[in-house]
Amino acid sequence: MDDIELTELLNELPENPGATDYRRVALNLIPYVEAKVPPMGGNQTATRLRFVTAVARHDLGLARLIEGHLDASQILKEANAPIASGKLYAVWAAGGPSDTTAIEEPETGKEAIRITGSKPFCTGSDLVDRALVYVYPQDQLVDVDLRAPEPPEALSFQAGQWISPAFAETHTWTVRFDALRIPSARCIGAKRWYFDRPGFCLGAFAPAACWAGGAMGLVDAVRRRPLRNGHARAHLGAMVAAACSMDSILTWGAEQIDADPGNSSGTMFPTALVVRHLIERTCTEILDRFGRTLGPRPFAFEPNTARRIAELTLYIRQCHAECDLEELGAYVEQNPTFGSARP
Ligand SMILES: Cc1cc2nc3c(=O)[nH]c(=O)nc-3n(C[C@H](O)[C@H](O)[C@H](O)COP(=O)(O)OP(=O)(O)OC[C@H]3O[C@@H](n4cnc5c(N)ncnc54)[C@H](O)[C@@H]3O)c2cc1C
């Protein structure tokens, strides 16, 4: 994406960004996002995914924050719910045994629900202004104002559990709610709406666009150096080809989305699984080739490269690996023509 305004905005991020840098630059990107980044499924999905890739190519931590904000604003639009202008949003929907969040329904006549419990993997926990929190026992998405918790002591952050230096400054902490009061009107959609809406499948493409941008940034780091031998040149050739294939598969995914944004064919989820799988594998290949090209020095002595490698290695683990492939294979068993060039 060749856009001088975007380049200038991204260049505001210092070399080794801290948490406050991330918040500042992410907030500065919001007007650009609102003016120039098209919605998913609006016939310009490729432009949206390329924006995400461009941010990740610059910095993966910033991409993680911006991808959450884009996802949240798309969800709120789909729900016809209000979006607070100029505020940075996140989506916190991680489940599993360490997610203990639950909703206490309001007493008759009262207009607030209360959330209690811990939510892991909350990117931007104390950096974002609002978060869409998914509460599994009640299958309910809730729009939480993090700047004015009611009562104030009902919101706290458990920073110490995240021990990796990767994404450390994005504050992907566990957030603790202790009877946090939220107006009932801030429940977004009906029960399970978050998972059942067509947009859920579409949202699955954006993390893959982040992974792709992270790997493209590594390829850029090889392009910029003099190469010492033919092996290095061969790896660079293969890495550039791999980067082109990620761009192509994202464009293909975007075309599928634009052809069927309401998912009337039911194929958007398996399509997302195809795209995510191919990008995860290609990122893995680029990570491998990067190390084989340049040896241990960039891992040990170059802070930015070492951080990108650590963050990309961690980020692609979000992909659900063989669980996703099993789901894809099971879908093809039931729908044998899916993914086949022949009708
Ligand atoms: C950098 C980063 C940022 C993220 N930010 C957000 C965010 O802002 N919002 C959000 O909603 N989510 C976020 N996530 C979380 C993400 O969406 C997933 O919830 C997270 O990756 C865990 O995925 P999972 O539940 O599939 O993995 P798991 O199910 O926890 O693990 C995968 C597999 O490993 C097995 N397993 C795990 N641990 C063990 C063990 N100790 N022993 C044996 N087997 C084990 C599990 O049973 C499972 O089969 C983020 C993730 C990352 C990596």
Side-chain angles (χ1 to χ4, degrees), residues 155-203:
L155 182 70
S156 55
F157 306 103
Q158 295 168 345
Q161 294 170 355
W162 188 273
I163 46 124
S164 173
F167 291 112
E169 296 299 319
T170 64
H171 292 183
T172 302
W173 296 338
T174 296
V175 174
R176 171 86 207 158
F177 305 100
D178 286 294
L180 181 73
R181 267 201 303 277
I182 296 160
S184 302
R186 290 291 180 180
C187 288
I188 305 297
K191 283 182 194 295
R192 271 204 69 82
W193 172 81
Y194 169 71
F195 283 114
D196 291 342
R197 76 209 152 91
F200 179 73
C201 308
L202 311 193

Side-chain angles (χ1 to χ4, degrees), residues 320-333:
H320 308 300
E322 277 62 32
C323 293
D324 280 352
L325 289 177
E326 185 183 356
E327 198 162 343
L328 180 57
Y331 179 84
V332 179
E333 252 182 345

